[in-house]
Structure formats: structure tokens, C-alpha cells
Amino acid sequence: MPHARVHNFSISLDGFATGEPQSLEAPFGHAGERLHEWMFATRFWDESGSAGVDDSFAQRNTVGIGAEIMGANKFGPPEWQDDPEWKGWWGDNPPFHSPTFVLTHRPRPPLAMEGGTTYHFLDASPAEALAAAFEAADGQDVRIGGGATVVRDFVAAGLVDFMHLVQVPIVLGRGSRVWDGLEAVEDDYGIEAVSAPSGVTHLTFTRKSAG
Amino acid sequence: MPHARVHNFSISLDGFATGEPQSLEAPFGHAGERLHEWMFATRFWDESGSAGVDDSFAQRNTVGIGAEIMGANKFGPPEWQDDPEWKGWWGDNPPFHSPTFVLTHRPRPPLAMEGGTTYHFLDASPAEALAAAFEAADGQDVRIGGGATVVRDFVAAGLVDFMHLVQVPIVLGRGSRVWDGLEAVEDDYGIEAVSAPSGVTHLTFTRKSAG
């Protein structure tokens, strides 16, 4: 049975996945790129990078994935819905290479990009969006791509089978926090932690009832 | 030069050091003892316990410590100040074995216990309390014993030289959070992480300017 998975989702020690304010110039607000430096240093990101612990986790991101779901805040800066020409942060050939569902209260027609990515814009509940993504994934898994609001909404709805968080040793103090509303998440998931030489700690959450 | 140190300070994934509500029956609120199970399993706590990674960290708690500072919420349940007979959670022979400063807006006379612990009740700023504790410690280090409010107040005031937090893989959702107000703490501390087979992750913060 296909699974819904979260991968390479970076958070600060205090649980923020982005800083604030988010803008065209600063997609992660005052966090800048600090939450993702661990990933830029891996072979997953750059072929001259490291093939160590961090890379082993990072590489899982794409394996067996047939579709992605992301929140509106991942697709563009605030008010991108007002710009009919906005096509996401990732240029003409986005790294998703699969049907990619963007949750927004202001949907627009599908947008086919190069390399196999087609953006579908949905005003839907997590369960409805996941059903659509599973159908599009054609038997493969679905990646829940973030941001923090989307991850916690899908976890709270009991829809996430596997989650990989990467805790970076900085304290952001403000932004969008992944933990809010997830009290007692340990009842539903086996949780493991492993710290890497880079300084980050990988946290995996495996749903206890997952097949 | 003597240092101010935090040891064995357990927090949930979302940064809470206690749950809520705190009471005589439930000193840690809905967290129960879950934040401290890792420590109960060590030789530091029980001579039949493990002498592994967790124990190596736990044992540091007492080495070179000449005094402790704790907040009112660590000393007793809410409103303990109304009970002239309240002598702390730890019985006649408390585990501090040194001068122990309790921060409270309603001080009372010092209380000498067995085993070397004398409680001193102070209505003082962090800097004033630390000065008093250093004097009492007579050249040894001072332990900042918690709870979360005290730890973050002392860190925010630039008074903590070393901090050992233990992140337990549970999400409490509510309670007293150690991170609040500590944005950019990484500018002042070298931060290391190591996960242990027990499932907890030890985080150490070493002040960059510490001698």
C-alpha cells in the first residue's frame, strides 16, 4: 500500500521550519539558508558533496515518490496568487518530476512544466488532497513537501506514514513551528534519533500502524 | 574562574521541561516522569543502572559543584509559600549537599537540612542570585537547576557558561518551554548533539567566551 512521507524537513531546535517574514527576497525569512546548509553539503544536492550520514537520509527524498503535496507558502511568496505569471520558485524544470499538488484557496488551471512536473492547484482538505495525489502517483508514494503548517495538518489528520525531520542547532525564536497541535504524537509513531557529524540530528517517525 | 552550569535538563521535542498543570501529586504535570526515564536507567541514579552514554552525561551533574540555584516552581507545588512547613520535594536529606538558593518573591529564613544542603530563599535578579551562589560555592561552580523559566532567564542574561539539555522523543504540546526568548543563542554557544541508544539526544552548549 502506498505511503505518505515527509523527507528532509529541516527545523530549528525550537521547531521552526521557516523564519519570518517570508518574502520574494527571503523565502525562509530570518532563517535564511541556515536550516538547509546540511543538505547543500551532501551528494544528494551537489555531486561533489559528502556521501555520509546526512546524504544517506537526504537521498531517500525521491525514492519511490510519484507525487508531491505542498502548501501555498512553499509555492511562492505571500500574495503569489495575485500574479498570474508566478510559476513557483524552481524555474522551468522543477525538481519534482511528478504531479505536484499545491494547496491554495485560490486555485488556477494546471501548469505543465519541463521534466515531468505538473502543478495542480487544489482547494481541498488534507484527506481530499492526499486521495488526489495517490491517484496521480499511480501506486507510488506521495511526499508531503511542507511547509510546517501542511506537515502538522497532515500528521494531525493521521495521514502521514513516515516523517524525517532534521534538527539544526540554531534557535529561531519565531516563524512557523512544526510541533504545534501535535501533542502525544509519540503514541502513533516510533521515533528514532541520530546525530550526524555535521551537527544536525535526524529524527524519524514511523507510524506504528503503517503496513 | 568558576562557571555556571546546567546539567541533565530534560526537554520534550517541542522544548517543554514540564507539562501542566503542576501540582503536589504531579510535579511535572501531564509529562509525568517521562522526561526523566532516561536518567532513572543510569548508574548515576541507581547503582544497578547502565554506565553507558546517558550515564556519562548524567554523572557530570555533581562534579565540581558548590551551590545550586533553583526557581520557586522547582522547590514546591504552586502556593508552597503559603505552607510554613514545606521543606522541598526531597525529604530531610536532599540530594544537593550544598548551599541551595531558591528564587521566590516571598523569601523566608534559611533552612538547614541533613547532608549539607541549606536552602536560602532569595528575591533577587539572576545576576544577584548568581553572585550570592558563587560566594557560597567558595571557588566551585554553580549549578542552575531549573525549571525552564530559570534556565532561560539565566541564559538570556548571559550568565550560563555550560548547558546540557536532554531531548526526549515525546511532544508535550504545553507546559513551560525552555527556548522562549533565546533566539540566536547559537551566536553565543558552541552547540553539539549526540543521540544515545536510549532514544534521547544530548545537547551541549558551551559558551564561546567561557574561559
Side-chain angles (χ1 to χ4, degrees):
Chain A
M1 216 180 105
H3 289 158
R5 297 156 38 193
V6 175
H7 286 274
N8 297 349
F9 194 73
S10 297
I11 59 174
S12 61
L13 287 175
D14 48 344
F16 293 103
T18 63
E20 63 178 26
Q22 296 176 264
S23 67
L24 183 61
E25 297 72 29
F28 293 93
H30 76 296
E33 293 293 357
R34 290 179 292 159
L35 290 174
H36 305 103
E37 284 163 4
W38 71 271
M39 192 168 61
F40 302 150
T42 65
R43 194 163 298 184
F44 168 74
W45 191 264
D46 182 319
E47 63 186 17
S48 67
S50 161
V53 179
D54 293 337
D55 187 58
S56 293
F57 280 97
Q59 297 278 358
R60 303 295 305 161
N61 183 63
T62 48
V63 178
I65 293 290
E68 157 141 347
I69 296 172
M70 69 172 70
N73 285 346
K74 178 171 172 179
F75 188 70
E79 317 302 334
W80 63 262
Q81 291 93 338
D82 292 334
D83 176 5
E85 300 303 311
W86 181 259
K87 295 178 177 177
W89 297 104
W90 302 276
D92 292 334
N93 188 352
F96 306 107
H97 310 300
S98 66
T100 299
F101 294 83
V102 180
L103 298 174
T104 170
H105 296 303
R106 294 169 59 187
R108 55 176 67 178
L111 187 59
M113 311 294 286
E114 295 171 23
T117 297
T118 298
Y119 294 121
H120 301 270
F121 300 88
L122 278 186
D123 184 7
S125 73
E128 292 166 345
L130 188 57
F134 272 139
E135 187 169 336
D138 197 19
Q140 291 199 285
D141 289 351
V142 169
R143 185 174 48 238
I144 309 299
T149 309
V150 167
V151 168
R152 68 184 190 233
D153 285 352
F154 277 70
V155 171
L159 298 173
V160 171
D161 298 294
F162 172 83
M163 178 162 67
H164 166 231
L165 304 185
V166 186
Q167 199 174 46
V168 177
I170 62 176
V171 174
L172 286 175
R174 53 205 160 93
S176 185
R177 182 148 45 202
V178 76
W179 301 121
D180 292 348
L182 297 190
E183 179 178 333
V185 71
E186 66 276 8
D187 290 348
D188 298 323
Y189 292 87
I191 306 176
E192 296 182 27
V194 66
S195 45
S198 66
V200 306
T201 298
H202 297 274
L203 296 164
T204 58
F205 297 68
T206 308
R207 188 147 75 167
K208 291 175 181 175
S209 59
Chain B
M1 216 180 105
H3 289 157
R5 296 156 37 192
V6 175
H7 286 274
N8 298 348
F9 194 74
S10 297
I11 59 172
S12 60
L13 287 176
D14 47 344
F16 294 104
T18 64
E20 64 178 26
Q22 295 176 262
S23 68
L24 184 61
E25 296 73 28
F28 293 95
H30 76 296
E33 293 293 357
R34 291 179 292 159
L35 290 174
H36 306 103
E37 284 163 5
W38 71 271
M39 193 168 60
F40 302 150
T42 65
R43 193 163 298 185
F44 167 73
W45 192 264
D46 182 320
E47 63 185 18
S48 67
S50 161
V53 179
D54 293 337
D55 187 58
S56 293
F57 280 97
Q59 297 278 358
R60 303 295 304 162
N61 183 64
T62 48
V63 178
I65 293 290
E68 157 141 347
I69 297 171
M70 68 172 70
N73 285 345
K74 177 171 173 179
F75 187 69
E79 317 303 333
W80 63 262
Q81 290 93 339
D82 292 334
D83 176 4
E85 298 304 312
W86 181 260
K87 295 178 178 177
W89 297 103
W90 302 275
D92 292 335
N93 189 350
F96 307 107
H97 310 298
S98 66
T100 299
F101 294 83
V102 180
L103 299 174
T104 170
H105 295 304
R106 294 171 57 189
R108 54 175 70 178
L111 186 59
M113 311 295 288
E114 295 171 23
T117 298
T118 297
Y119 295 121
H120 301 271
F121 301 87
L122 278 187
D123 185 7
S125 71
E128 292 164 348
L130 187 57
F134 271 138
E135 186 168 340
D138 197 21
Q140 291 198 285
D141 288 352
V142 169
R143 184 173 49 237
I144 309 300
T149 310
V150 168
V151 169
R152 68 185 189 231
D153 284 353
F154 277 70
V155 172
L159 298 172
V160 172
D161 298 296
F162 172 84
M163 178 164 66
H164 166 230
L165 304 184
V166 187
Q167 200 174 44
V168 177
I170 62 176
V171 174
L172 286 174
R174 52 206 161 94
S176 186
R177 182 148 44 201
V178 75
W179 302 122
D180 293 347
L182 298 190
E183 179 178 334
V185 72
E186 67 275 7
D187 290 348
D188 298 324
Y189 292 87
I191 306 176
E192 296 181 28
V194 65
S195 45
S198 66
V200 307
T201 298
H202 298 274
L203 295 165
T204 58
F205 296 68
T206 308
R207 189 148 73 167
K208 290 176 180 175
S209 60

